[in-house]
Amino acid sequence: MRVLVTGGAGFIGSHVVEALTAHGHEPVVYDIRTDPGSDVRDPEAVRRALTGVDAVCHQAAMVGLGTGFTDAAEYVSRNDLGTAVLLTAMADAGVRRLVLAGSMVVYGEGRYECERHGVVRPGPRAVADLEAGRFEPPCPVCGADLAPGLVTEDAPADPRNVYATTKLAQEHLAAAWARATGGTAVSLRYHNVYGPGMPRDTPYAGVASFFRSALARGEAPRVFEDGRQRRDFVHVRDVAAANVAALEASPAAGALTAYNTGSGDPHTVGEMAHALAAAYGGPEPVVTGQYRLGDVRHITADSARLRTELGWKAEVGFEAGMREFAEAGMRTA
Ligand SMILES: NC(=O)c1ccc[n+]([C@@H]2O[C@H](COP(=O)([O-])OP(=O)(O)OC[C@H]3O[C@@H](n4cnc5c(N)ncnc54)[C@H](O)[C@@H]3O)[C@@H](O)[C@H]2O)c1
Ligand SMILES: [Zn+2]
């Protein structure tokens, strides 16, 4: 299958390209980063790139938490306008198969249970609580402590920042496109992806990149909050394999199907910092108590649907993945 991989020169996209080639497919890279750059917002360029293409794997996006609200328009432009232009061109060209790089950020805070109130959805954490080091969101009804659980795909969406909002809108656009064209759309809601080729730290990078970049400078990883926030760190080769599985699958036509894409082995951010620092040979992480507005406390997925329906499973374990990442190269620009 000839697959247009938007963002194919990026961290995840370049691994998708490799995995597609290994599976006998023909990936075509479409990325603003290449020379000459190809922008998903450019209708003519997208139209040309879609010639002879059977499917699109849409990884191109502006990622990360960004810098407050200053770059909101740029996120919306790249992620949502870009997706709309791409889908329009696909509709015109008769390309009916889409796999989208979704994100767990669409869920906001993960899934929690209160002993008295069952499953609850805590709102954004109050600045006063964060300042006081109260990082766990309390039960919105009674204020009691909550137990975090695994999020399934039917959990309500609750994007907490600009980036999350644009990732959710991408899914809605893809669903609208699928309904209008009878196409098939899959959103792989990635959790925290890490591995070789991850970009160095910028305001747009992920936490594994911050820690790995600090270690490379000889500095201790600085762990925010109390380090006990839980995430699912999933290896980039496993994410690439999930994309191949989704492209080769036959999902429902005329709709978008979402799949959580995580390792199924959640860890705290503090544990990740320790594993990486140990593999790198120090220095030991420090827990700073700092926080970022818009961050959620715990977010861990149940990726059972992806395993049962697409026959995918994570192959790279946490310890081995972190050891490899400690030694792997990172992208500089
Ligand atoms: N890294 C993660 O942990 C993570 C988690 C959830 C979702 N995602 C999603 O995965 C996808 C890939 O992210 P990544 O981590 O590889 O980031 P990345 O920045 O390495 O890759 C994104 C690529 O998209 C390209 N791009 C950006 N705007 C473009 C445009 N207008 N036209 C064409 N190309 C454009 C960039 O040049 C870059 O190469 C994104 O959609 C992101 O939202 C990533
Ligand atoms: Zn309660």
Side-chain angles (χ1 to χ4, degrees):
M1 170 167 40
R2 186 176 163 93
V3 182
L4 188 73
V5 184
T6 73
F11 166 45
I12 298 169
S14 55
H15 285 271
V16 171
V17 165
E18 236 173 75
L20 282 169
T21 308
H23 277 245
H25 299 294
E26 190 194 339
V28 179
V29 172
Y30 190 93
D31 196 301
I32 204 169
R33 178 191 304 282
T34 53
D35 186 19
S38 305
D39 194 324
V40 284
R41 294 165 294 185
D42 178 343
E44 273 315 308
V46 178
R47 210 177 303 277
R48 281 195 301 276
L50 284 174
T51 311
V53 159
D54 305 296
V56 172
C57 184
H58 184 30
Q59 306 289 322
M62 178 168 170
V63 304
L65 194 54
T67 53
F69 205 79
T70 50
D71 39 23
E74 187 63 18
Y75 272 106
V76 172
S77 171
R78 285 191 188 232
N79 300 1
D80 297 336
L81 175 61
T83 299
V85 170
L86 173 67
L87 292 170
T88 306
M90 287 171 69
D92 291 348
V95 179
R96 295 286 177 266
R97 190 175 276 254
L98 173 75
V99 173
L100 171 70
S103 175
M104 51 88 185
V105 293
V106 300
Y107 297 120
E109 277 295 348
R111 185 180 195 277
Y112 294 85
E113 273 191 61
C114 169
E115 270 185 13
R116 282 174 59 204
H117 297 102
V119 175
V120 290
R121 297 175 56 207
R125 296 178 291 171
V127 171
D129 284 339
L130 293 165
E131 282 291 337
R134 288 189 296 269
F135 299 118
E136 291 291 337
C139 172
V141 185
C142 69
D145 290 347
L146 299 171
L150 297 180
V151 184
T152 48
E153 287 85 355
D154 53 4
D158 187 8
R160 294 288 172 88
N161 54 54
V162 172
Y163 168 65
T165 304
T166 64
K167 292 307 287 182
L168 181 59
Q170 284 188 314
E171 287 193 357
H172 288 307
L173 288 166
W177 165 86
R179 280 192 296 275
T181 63
T184 64
V186 168
S187 177
L188 297 172
R189 292 177 177 162
Y190 307 158
H191 280 246
N192 287 61
V193 188
Y194 74 98
M198 195 173 187
R200 288 228 182 114
D201 55 344
T202 69
Y204 305 98
V207 63
S209 159
F210 295 148
F211 294 170
R212 177 64 178 75
S213 303
L215 289 166
R217 291 192 302 266
E219 295 167 13
R222 295 171 60 78
V223 181
F224 285 1
E225 304 191 8
D226 58 5
R228 290 201 284 268
Q229 57 276 37
R230 284 152 55 90
R231 294 290 185 276
D232 185 324
F233 298 98
V234 59
H235 196 274
V236 67
R237 284 196 299 274
D238 285 330
V239 169
N243 275 276
V244 175
L247 284 159
E248 290 177 346
S250 316
L256 176 124
T257 314
Y259 292 102
N260 289 338
T261 308
S263 69
D265 180 27
H267 284 272
T268 68
V269 171
E271 285 167 356
M272 193 270 282
H274 276 285
L276 200 55
Y280 195 82
E284 276 298 290
V286 290
V287 176
T288 67
Q290 283 165 284
Y291 62 87
R292 301 190 306 178
L293 284 177
D295 260 345
V296 293
R297 176 66 176 169
H298 305 290
I299 177 82
T300 54
D302 184 346
S303 303
R305 179 186 283 179
L306 181 59
R307 290 196 300 272
T308 51
E309 291 186 16
L310 298 191
W312 169 92
K313 85 180 181 349
E315 303 282 355
V316 184
F318 179 75
E319 299 292 339
M322 289 299 162
R323 275 198 304 275
E324 181 202 38
F325 184 46
E327 284 161 20
M330 295 182 80
R331 193 179 81 209
T332 46

